[in-house]
Amino acid sequence: MPINDLATLVVGTGNYLTAPVGTPMPDNLLTPTSPWSAVGHTSLEDLFGLTSEGGEATTIGTLQNKSLRTKYSQRTEQMTFTLQQFDTPALKLYFGANAPILLDGSVGVPAEPVPTQAAFLAVFVDGENHFAFYAPKSEIYRADDMSIADTESLAGLPLGVKPMVHGSNSWTYAVTPLGGTIATGATAGAPGSFTPSGATAPAKFAALTGITASPATAWTTGQHVVLGDGSKAKWTGTAWAAGIA
């Protein structure tokens, strides 16, 4: 696996959103539009967790090969975060979708709570990078007991999000990779393109090291590629050079 500096993540800001079950991932993760709706304020310290149960390995063998294959049991996963709003929608996420609203406006805690079913999206932003978890169908309910520890910190409602298979999908949730596909080649054009298809352009001229030019002969007048910083580069037949051929 090649080193990709653009694929590292330090979370600066983020958001957690829900929408009706089956809502597709928004085209723009930084500004999701309706029907996506933010759940509210969340903890600055307990940002996000991903836990799992199951997945135990069982070794299956024969008389001739006692470790012929490995079989894994079904694994269930849960995303966790702490909601720090105590309004009615937040309380229903924690106590159950069937929590009744009483005559005085308070939220009743149901004896047999039902998780909230919704599409779920968690977006984390790191400068110009962003990273997301998306589940077209999930069950949202309390992940832990609520505890109000002191008078100086914001109280929180620990929530758990269990991704579920939706429709004919063979997957429960998706994650968006950072850094894109690393370019290994550059094809001449006006402008040219980087390969493989969809590869991220090298960030600057120095990042062209190791990029294979096509054709390998000197590029003709007008041919070039555009780098991530907006600068242009050409292939001389023996080396990369700045500018347009």
Side-chain angles (χ1 to χ4, degrees), residues 187-194 214 219-226 232-233 243-245:
T187 303
S193 59
F194 291 98
S214 177
W219 289 2
T220 59
T221 301
Q223 293 184 328
H224 65 282
V225 287
V226 180
K232 300 175 177 62
I244 301 173

Side-chain angles (χ1 to χ4, degrees), residues 8-161:
T8 57
L9 176 67
V10 177
V11 175
T13 61
N15 210 355
Y16 307 89
L17 307 100
T18 59
V21 170
T23 302
M25 184 187 296
D27 294 331
N28 188 340
L29 292 171
L30 299 180
T31 56
T33 57
S34 180
W36 288 103
S37 176
V39 300
H41 288 290
T42 59
S43 173
L44 187 60
E45 296 179 355
D46 301 321
L47 291 185
F48 187 81
L50 183 62
T51 60
S52 64
E53 295 181 355
E56 293 83 6
T58 302
T59 301
I60 303 173
T62 66
L63 183 62
Q64 291 72 32
N65 185 344
K66 293 181 173 57
S67 56
L68 180 64
R69 295 178 57 184
T70 303
K71 182 179 180 180
Y72 293 89
S73 63
Q74 183 176 356
R75 180 185 296 274
T76 58
E77 296 183 281
Q78 178 174 250
M79 306 174 195
T80 58
F81 65 97
T82 301
L83 184 58
Q84 291 185 320
Q85 282 189 194
F86 283 73
D87 52 11
T88 298
L91 293 173
K92 287 176 73 71
L93 285 177
Y94 185 78
F95 289 110
N98 60 332
I101 308 303
L102 307 182
L103 292 177
D104 61 358
S106 60
V107 177
V109 179
E112 297 182 1
V114 175
T116 298
Q117 287 200 354
F120 177 76
L121 179 68
V123 181
F124 304 105
V125 181
D126 175 10
E128 295 183 357
N129 271 345
H130 53 275
F131 179 71
F133 291 86
Y134 161 71
K137 181 181 180 181
S138 69
E139 288 189 347
I140 306 173
Y141 184 57
R142 70 169 73 182
D144 203 350
D145 295 337
M146 182 181 67
S147 176
I148 301 177
D150 54 58
T151 60
E152 299 178 353
S153 305
L154 290 170
L157 298 168
L159 291 180
V161 181

